[in-house]
Amino acid sequence: MQVVGYETGGVGEGGDGSGSGDGSVSSAAGGLYVAAAGDVEFVEAAPGTDLSFGLGERRCAGTVHDGGHVPCNADAAPYCDAHSSVWVCARCTGTCLKDEMDCHEEHAMYLAAFAPDTFKVGVTRLWRLKTRLREQGADRAAHVRTFPDGRVAREVEAELASGPDLVDRVRVPTKLDGFGRAVDGEAWAALVDRFDPIERFDFEYGLALDERPVAETMAAGTVRGWKGRVLVLERNGSTYAVDARELVGYELTETVPDRDLQSSLGAFGG
């Protein structure tokens, strides 16, 4: 079986998924898409699930088309040049990079906070706002502007991202540095108040982390939950953070290797 994709934890309005509309967000089941002999199945990785896979060779994950998997033997991972794709809209700064502009629907501009003090400005289609924030694993967020189309939104985003206090992308290692830490509330409030926000969000992922988990690439352990595309696992008394994208392309084996793993402080009783 080869990992060919992943699904991050789901989202529901209200801390208990009740749809209360208070802006809080809770996590649900995520998982891995695995392929064998052309078929694709979903391996659920919900909180409490025990995963027991080793990692074999890694190569290009190929492509999934009409529900089936087309494999690729190229060594490049997670995708070779023939199967990699770039979403050009993410590079847009107001001058469309497509042959024909197609972002004519309403777009939301948002601010997202990643603990302790990394603040991002971003743009997404209005109807995808909460999903997009959850996909990134933001700790807090605010919807600050609504634009009639994506072109104008990207122009304003690029201008704000060129300033000293906002970025337009946050890498996974930076996000991991904030796991188990709180957002600088004073700095966040000062930033958001400059924009007279339309709506604010507080995100709760149910991870209950007292410290930063150890970054690892593995698929064995008890699932604690998801934060964005990061899968948090418990194993042998330690907590690990796995970037799900780093699993794509690996062959899963039934034998879990008994190799040395870096331990978190919690494994030693604090």
Side-chain angles (χ1 to χ4, degrees):
M1 296 188 299
Q2 184 187 26
V3 180
V4 296
Y6 57 88
E7 191 76 37
T8 63
V11 63
E13 293 183 24
D16 57 358
S18 62
S20 62
D22 62 0
S24 61
V25 177
S26 60
S27 63
L32 304 174
Y33 291 101
V34 299
D39 295 325
V40 179
E41 64 177 280
F42 183 68
V43 176
E44 186 174 287
T49 302
D50 288 324
L51 299 179
S52 300
F53 299 108
L55 301 181
E57 295 183 356
R58 194 185 190 200
R59 65 181 189 280
C60 175
T63 184
V64 176
H65 181 69
D66 289 337
H69 178 238
V70 181
C72 176
N73 292 321
D75 292 333
Y79 300 102
C80 67
D81 290 342
H83 293 114
S84 61
S85 60
V86 176
W87 185 47
V88 296
C89 292
R91 297 179 175 178
C92 178
T93 58
T95 301
C96 188
L97 302 175
K98 295 182 177 180
D99 293 334
E100 182 177 351
M101 176 178 161
D102 59 3
C103 55
H104 299 291
E105 58 189 310
E106 286 188 310
H107 280 61
M109 173 174 288
Y110 62 83
L111 304 177
F114 300 88
D117 55 6
T118 298
F119 304 136
K120 176 193 173 185
V121 59
V123 166
T124 188
R125 287 169 289 179
L126 181 60
W127 63 269
R128 283 201 85 245
L129 176 59
K130 294 178 183 178
T131 299
R132 180 64 186 132
L133 293 170
R134 181 264 300 172
E135 288 172 345
Q136 298 176 78
D139 293 299
R140 298 185 189 179
H143 175 194
V144 294
R145 294 279 299 276
T146 302
F147 295 91
D149 60 49
R151 182 186 63 80
V152 178
R154 289 294 185 185
E155 286 180 350
V156 179
E157 176 196 34
E159 181 180 352
L160 290 172
S162 66
D165 51 2
L166 287 167
V167 297
D168 58 5
R169 64 182 59 194
V170 183
R171 302 293 186 185
V172 169
T174 300
K175 296 177 182 180
L176 288 178
D177 283 341
F179 276 39
R181 304 172 70 181
V183 172
D184 183 335
E186 184 175 335
W188 172 246
L191 173 66
V192 173
D193 287 346
R194 286 166 35 195
F195 291 85
D196 189 19
I198 298 168
E199 188 174 8
R200 300 174 189 246
F201 305 92
D202 286 317
F203 290 71
E204 177 54 58
Y205 298 92
L207 299 177
L209 295 172
D210 296 322
E211 60 185 5
R212 185 179 68 181
V214 178
E216 268 287 354
T217 301
M218 63 185 193
T222 301
V223 177
R224 179 175 280 197
W226 292 76
K227 188 176 183 185
R229 76 184 199 202
V230 177
L231 170 63
V232 179
L233 297 173
E234 295 278 353
R235 183 175 173 186
N236 297 332
S238 289
T239 307
Y240 298 94
V242 181
D243 182 350
R245 182 174 170 80
E246 294 302 314
L247 293 176
V248 175
Y250 272 108
E251 289 285 344
L252 297 181
T253 69
E254 295 182 356
T255 303
V256 178
D258 186 20
R259 64 184 179 90
D260 291 335
L261 295 171
Q262 183 179 346
S263 297
S264 62
L265 292 176
F268 302 98

